[in-house]
Amino acid sequence: MTANNLERAMLIEAVDKEREGRRASLLPFPSRTMMARPSTDRQEKLRILEALLFAAPEPLDQAELARHFAEGEDIPSLLTELQTLYAERGVNLVRVAGKWAFRTAADLAFLLEREAVEQRRLSRAALETLAIIAYHQAVTRAEIEEIRGVSTSKGTLDVLLETGWIKLRGRRRAPGRPVTYGTTEQFLGHFGFDSIQDLPGLSELKGAGLLDSTLPPGFAMPNPDDAPELREDEDPLEDELGEEDETPESDEGEPPR
Protein backbone atom coordinates (compact mmCIF):
# COMPACT_ATOMS: atom_id res chain seq x y z
CA MET A 1 0.00 0.00 0.00
CA THR A 2 1.43 3.42 -0.94
CA ALA A 3 1.78 6.26 1.53
CA ASN A 4 -1.11 8.14 -0.11
CA ASN A 5 -3.44 5.13 0.13
CA LEU A 6 -2.43 4.56 3.76
CA GLU A 7 -3.18 8.17 4.68
CA ARG A 8 -6.57 7.95 2.89
CA ALA A 9 -7.51 4.75 4.76
CA MET A 10 -6.55 6.29 8.09
CA LEU A 11 -8.63 9.43 7.29
CA ILE A 12 -11.70 7.35 6.39
CA GLU A 13 -11.34 5.30 9.58
CA ALA A 14 -11.13 8.50 11.66
CA VAL A 15 -14.26 9.94 10.02
CA ASP A 16 -16.19 6.70 10.64
CA LYS A 17 -15.20 6.73 14.31
CA GLU A 18 -16.29 10.36 14.61
CA ARG A 19 -19.71 9.53 13.09
CA GLU A 20 -20.14 6.56 15.43
CA GLY A 21 -19.36 8.76 18.38
CA ARG A 22 -21.95 11.34 17.34
CA ARG A 23 -24.59 8.65 16.75
CA ALA A 24 -23.93 7.07 20.15
CA SER A 25 -24.18 10.43 21.91
CA LEU A 26 -27.60 11.10 20.35
CA LEU A 27 -29.18 7.74 21.13
CA PRO A 28 -30.18 8.38 24.79
CA PHE A 29 -32.19 11.53 23.86
CA PRO A 30 -35.57 11.14 22.11
CA SER A 31 -36.33 13.35 19.15
CA ARG A 32 -38.64 16.35 19.49
CA THR A 33 -41.33 14.46 17.57
CA MET A 34 -41.14 11.50 19.92
CA MET A 35 -41.32 13.79 22.95
CA ALA A 36 -44.41 15.55 21.54
CA ARG A 37 -46.32 12.34 20.93
CA PRO A 38 -48.78 11.27 23.63
CA SER A 39 -48.26 8.11 25.62
CA THR A 40 -49.30 4.85 23.98
CA ASP A 41 -52.41 4.51 26.19
CA ARG A 42 -53.56 8.09 25.59
CA GLN A 43 -52.73 7.85 21.89
CA GLU A 44 -55.01 4.81 21.65
CA LYS A 45 -57.81 6.76 23.31
CA LEU A 46 -57.35 9.58 20.82
CA ARG A 47 -57.50 7.06 17.96
CA ILE A 48 -60.76 5.65 19.31
CA LEU A 49 -62.23 9.13 19.64
CA GLU A 50 -61.06 9.98 16.13
CA ALA A 51 -62.65 6.83 14.68
CA LEU A 52 -65.97 7.45 16.43
CA LEU A 53 -66.23 11.02 15.14
CA PHE A 54 -65.22 10.10 11.59
CA ALA A 55 -67.71 7.24 11.37
CA ALA A 56 -70.64 9.11 12.93
CA PRO A 57 -73.29 10.30 10.42
CA GLU A 58 -74.02 13.30 12.66
CA PRO A 59 -72.26 15.27 15.42
CA LEU A 60 -71.81 13.48 18.76
CA ASP A 61 -72.03 14.90 22.25
CA GLN A 62 -69.71 14.03 25.13
CA ALA A 63 -72.20 11.61 26.69
CA GLU A 64 -72.37 9.54 23.49
CA LEU A 65 -68.57 9.46 23.23
CA ALA A 66 -68.14 8.56 26.90
CA ARG A 67 -70.08 5.31 26.40
CA HIS A 68 -67.05 3.90 24.56
CA PHE A 69 -64.60 4.61 27.41
CA ALA A 70 -64.17 3.56 31.00
CA GLU A 71 -66.23 5.41 33.57
CA GLY A 72 -64.62 8.64 34.71
CA GLU A 73 -62.56 9.14 31.53
CA ASP A 74 -61.71 12.82 30.92
CA ILE A 75 -63.50 13.18 27.57
CA PRO A 76 -63.26 17.02 27.42
CA SER A 77 -59.47 16.81 27.78
CA LEU A 78 -59.25 14.22 24.99
CA LEU A 79 -61.46 16.31 22.72
CA THR A 80 -59.35 19.41 23.33
CA GLU A 81 -56.16 17.50 22.51
CA LEU A 82 -57.67 15.99 19.37
CA GLN A 83 -58.93 19.43 18.33
CA THR A 84 -55.38 20.78 18.70
CA LEU A 85 -53.93 17.92 16.64
CA TYR A 86 -56.34 18.71 13.79
CA ALA A 87 -56.07 22.50 14.01
CA GLU A 88 -53.70 22.80 11.03
CA ARG A 89 -55.09 19.92 8.94
CA GLY A 90 -57.52 19.78 6.06
CA VAL A 91 -60.34 18.88 8.42
CA ASN A 92 -60.88 20.47 11.82
CA LEU A 93 -62.64 19.20 14.93
CA VAL A 94 -65.35 21.73 15.77
CA ARG A 95 -68.12 22.04 18.33
CA VAL A 96 -71.56 22.77 16.90
CA ALA A 97 -74.79 22.93 18.90
CA GLY A 98 -72.98 21.44 21.89
CA LYS A 99 -71.79 18.42 19.87
CA TRP A 100 -68.53 17.52 18.12
CA ALA A 101 -67.84 16.78 14.45
CA PHE A 102 -65.10 16.95 11.83
CA ARG A 103 -65.60 19.72 9.28
CA THR A 104 -63.58 20.82 6.25
CA ALA A 105 -61.12 23.58 7.16
CA ALA A 106 -62.64 26.96 6.37
CA ASP A 107 -59.69 28.08 4.22
CA LEU A 108 -60.13 25.04 1.94
CA ALA A 109 -63.86 25.48 1.36
CA PHE A 110 -63.21 26.95 -2.11
CA LEU A 111 -61.94 23.55 -3.29
CA LEU A 112 -65.41 22.07 -2.77
CA GLU A 113 -67.44 24.86 -4.30
CA ARG A 114 -67.97 23.02 -7.58
CA GLU A 115 -69.35 20.01 -5.73
CA ALA A 116 -71.61 21.98 -3.39
CA VAL A 117 -75.37 21.72 -3.86
CA GLU A 118 -76.85 25.10 -4.72
CA GLN A 119 -79.36 26.04 -2.05
CA ARG A 120 -82.51 27.99 -2.82
CA ARG A 121 -82.34 31.38 -1.17
CA LEU A 122 -84.99 32.17 1.39
CA SER A 123 -87.32 35.08 0.74
CA ARG A 124 -87.03 38.25 2.79
CA ALA A 125 -90.25 37.30 4.58
CA ALA A 126 -88.82 33.88 5.49
CA LEU A 127 -85.55 35.38 6.77
CA GLU A 128 -87.41 37.92 8.90
CA THR A 129 -89.68 35.20 10.27
CA LEU A 130 -86.70 32.96 11.05
CA ALA A 131 -84.91 35.78 12.87
CA ILE A 132 -88.00 36.58 14.96
CA ILE A 133 -88.44 32.93 15.93
CA ALA A 134 -84.74 32.60 16.83
CA TYR A 135 -84.70 35.67 19.08
CA HIS A 136 -88.24 35.50 20.53
CA GLN A 137 -88.96 31.77 20.86
CA ALA A 138 -91.30 30.34 21.90
CA VAL A 139 -93.44 32.54 19.65
CA THR A 140 -96.81 32.18 17.87
CA ARG A 141 -97.71 33.21 14.35
CA ALA A 142 -99.77 36.13 15.63
CA GLU A 143 -96.79 37.37 17.66
CA ILE A 144 -94.54 37.06 14.59
CA GLU A 145 -96.99 39.18 12.61
CA GLU A 146 -97.14 41.78 15.38
CA ILE A 147 -93.35 42.14 15.36
CA ARG A 148 -93.05 42.19 11.54
CA GLY A 149 -96.00 44.53 11.06
CA VAL A 150 -97.40 42.49 8.16
CA SER A 151 -99.26 39.22 7.81
CA THR A 152 -97.20 36.04 7.62
CA SER A 153 -98.22 33.38 5.13
CA LYS A 154 -98.50 29.83 6.43
CA GLY A 155 -96.40 28.88 3.38
CA THR A 156 -93.49 30.86 4.83
CA LEU A 157 -93.63 28.83 8.04
CA ASP A 158 -93.98 25.62 6.03
CA VAL A 159 -90.75 26.40 4.13
CA LEU A 160 -88.87 26.93 7.39
CA LEU A 161 -90.32 23.71 8.81
CA GLU A 162 -89.20 21.80 5.69
CA THR A 163 -85.64 23.08 6.05
CA GLY A 164 -85.59 21.67 9.58
CA TRP A 165 -84.55 25.02 11.06
CA ILE A 166 -87.73 25.56 13.10
CA LYS A 167 -90.09 23.18 14.90
CA LEU A 168 -93.51 23.14 16.51
CA ARG A 169 -92.98 23.39 20.28
CA GLY A 170 -96.43 23.32 21.86
CA ARG A 171 -99.65 25.32 22.15
CA ARG A 172 -99.99 28.65 23.91
CA ARG A 173 -102.44 28.73 26.79
CA ALA A 174 -104.56 31.39 25.15
CA PRO A 175 -107.84 31.57 23.21
CA GLY A 176 -107.55 29.39 20.11
CA ARG A 177 -104.48 27.64 21.61
CA PRO A 178 -102.11 28.76 18.81
CA VAL A 179 -99.00 26.72 18.01
CA THR A 180 -95.65 28.01 19.30
CA TYR A 181 -92.45 27.84 17.23
CA GLY A 182 -88.77 27.47 18.12
CA THR A 183 -85.44 26.73 16.44
CA THR A 184 -83.71 23.34 16.11
CA GLU A 185 -80.21 21.88 16.32
CA GLN A 186 -80.14 21.94 12.50
CA PHE A 187 -80.51 25.73 12.69
CA LEU A 188 -77.47 25.98 14.98
CA GLY A 189 -75.47 23.59 12.81
CA HIS A 190 -76.24 25.37 9.53
CA PHE A 191 -75.27 28.80 10.84
CA GLY A 192 -72.29 27.48 12.86
CA PHE A 193 -73.55 28.40 16.34
CA ASP A 194 -72.61 26.35 19.39
CA SER A 195 -75.65 27.64 21.27
CA ILE A 196 -78.53 30.04 20.67
CA GLN A 197 -76.75 32.60 22.87
CA ASP A 198 -74.17 32.98 20.05
CA LEU A 199 -76.71 34.95 17.99
CA PRO A 200 -75.46 38.49 17.21
CA GLY A 201 -76.17 41.03 19.93
CA LEU A 202 -77.17 44.68 19.70
CA SER A 203 -73.65 46.06 19.14
CA GLU A 204 -72.87 43.41 16.49
CA LEU A 205 -76.07 44.12 14.57
CA LYS A 206 -75.34 47.84 14.68
CA GLY A 207 -71.79 47.25 13.43
CA ALA A 208 -73.11 45.19 10.52
CA GLY A 209 -75.50 47.98 9.56
CA LEU A 210 -78.57 45.86 10.25
CA LEU A 211 -79.93 48.24 12.90
CA ASP A 212 -80.37 51.99 12.80
CA SER A 213 -77.78 53.78 14.89
CA THR A 214 -80.55 55.96 16.38
CA LEU A 215 -82.77 53.52 18.21
CA PRO A 216 -85.72 54.52 20.39
CA PRO A 217 -85.03 54.97 24.11
CA GLY A 218 -85.22 51.77 26.10
CA PHE A 219 -84.68 49.54 23.06
CA ALA A 220 -83.13 46.20 24.06
CA MET A 221 -82.45 42.89 22.34
CA PRO A 222 -84.31 39.82 23.64
CA ASN A 223 -82.33 37.10 25.37
CA PRO A 224 -82.82 34.04 23.10
CA ASP A 225 -83.59 30.73 24.79
CA ASP A 226 -84.12 27.44 22.93
CA ALA A 227 -84.53 25.20 25.98
CA PRO A 228 -86.65 22.18 24.95
CA GLU A 229 -88.78 22.31 28.09
CA LEU A 230 -92.21 23.86 27.59
CA ARG A 231 -92.81 27.22 29.26
CA GLU A 232 -95.46 27.87 31.86
CA ASP A 233 -97.80 29.29 29.21
CA GLU A 234 -97.34 26.32 26.82
CA ASP A 235 -99.21 23.02 26.60
CA PRO A 236 -97.93 19.89 24.80
CA LEU A 237 -99.00 19.30 21.20
CA GLU A 238 -101.81 16.83 20.68
CA ASP A 239 -101.26 13.55 18.85
CA GLU A 240 -102.95 15.08 15.82
CA LEU A 241 -101.34 18.44 15.20
CA GLY A 242 -103.81 19.53 12.55
CA GLU A 243 -103.75 22.97 11.04
CA GLU A 244 -103.37 26.27 12.80
CA ASP A 245 -106.61 28.06 13.50
CA GLU A 246 -105.61 30.99 11.32
CA THR A 247 -106.06 30.94 7.53
CA PRO A 248 -103.05 31.59 5.24
CA GLU A 249 -102.50 35.21 4.38
CA SER A 250 -100.15 37.11 2.10
CA ASP A 251 -96.72 38.18 3.32
CA GLU A 252 -97.34 41.65 2.01
CA GLY A 253 -100.30 43.95 2.35
CA GLU A 254 -102.49 44.95 5.23
CA PRO A 255 -101.18 44.74 8.77
CA PRO A 256 -102.13 41.76 10.92
CA ARG A 257 -105.51 41.75 12.60
Side-chain angles (χ1 to χ4, degrees):
M1 179 179 294
T2 63
N4 289 339
N5 289 339
L6 181 59
E7 291 177 358
R8 185 179 303 171
M10 293 176 63
L11 179 61
I12 293 175
E13 183 179 359
V15 170
D16 288 342
K17 287 183 179 180
E18 176 66 20
R19 288 177 178 174
E20 285 295 330
R22 290 181 181 179
R23 188 179 298 113
S25 64
L26 291 175
L27 284 178
F29 301 96
S31 66
R32 183 178 300 177
T33 303
M34 291 295 292
M35 294 175 66
R37 293 183 61 183
S39 64
T40 304
D41 181 56
R42 188 166 182 83
Q43 184 180 8
E44 188 66 17
K45 293 176 182 178
L46 291 173
R47 292 180 66 239
I48 293 172
L49 202 62
E50 181 182 40
L52 291 171
L53 292 166
F54 264 120
E58 57 189 17
L60 301 176
D61 60 23
Q62 291 185 21
E64 292 171 312
L65 294 168
R67 292 189 301 147
H68 299 272
F69 293 87
E71 186 176 355
E73 186 63 55
D74 189 0
I75 302 299
S77 174
L78 289 171
L79 285 167
T80 300
E81 186 170 350
L82 191 62
Q83 188 177 42
T84 301
L85 290 174
Y86 273 87
E88 302 298 329
R89 298 188 181 182
V91 290
N92 300 146
L93 181 59
V94 298
R95 182 176 174 179
V96 177
K99 299 184 178 182
W100 295 85
F102 282 110
R103 297 285 173 86
T104 303
D107 60 327
L108 300 179
F110 71 96
L111 296 173
L112 306 178
E113 286 180 353
R114 287 177 294 180
E115 301 178 14
V117 177
E118 183 178 356
Q119 301 290 338
R120 184 179 64 179
R121 297 186 62 181
L122 292 178
S123 65
R124 180 183 180 87
L127 288 172
E128 291 177 355
T129 301
L130 179 61
I132 291 170
I133 293 173
Y135 280 97
H136 294 269
Q137 57 188 306
V139 62
T140 66
R141 177 179 166 188
E143 291 165 344
I144 295 171
E145 292 177 338
E146 183 179 357
I147 296 171
R148 287 191 64 215
V150 295
S151 299
T152 299
S153 158
K154 186 176 183 299
T156 298
L157 293 169
D158 287 341
V159 168
L160 295 175
L161 287 168
E162 289 173 5
T163 62
W165 294 347
I166 68 170
K167 63 183 178 182
L168 305 179
R169 286 179 49 91
R171 287 191 178 274
R172 181 65 48 81
R173 293 178 182 174
R177 302 181 67 243
V179 171
T180 57
Y181 297 91
T183 55
T184 64
E185 284 190 3
Q186 288 89 334
F187 168 79
L188 296 176
H190 180 83
F191 290 97
F193 297 133
D194 181 30
S195 69
I196 199 68
Q197 282 73 34
D198 292 336
L199 285 171
L202 182 60
S203 58
E204 294 169 307
L205 292 174
K206 278 185 177 180
L210 299 175
L211 285 179
D212 194 334
S213 57
T214 57
L215 295 171
F219 180 85
M221 293 290 295
N223 184 24
D225 180 10
D226 61 353
E229 296 80 11
L230 295 179
R231 315 288 166 80
E232 293 182 357
D233 60 350
E234 288 181 290
D235 284 327
L237 292 167
E238 295 86 358
D239 293 336
E240 295 182 4
L241 295 176
E243 299 291 335
E244 281 196 69
D245 296 327
E246 306 160 39
T247 56
E249 301 177 30
S250 169
D251 282 90
E252 309 295 339
E254 77 269 14
R257 292 170 290 182

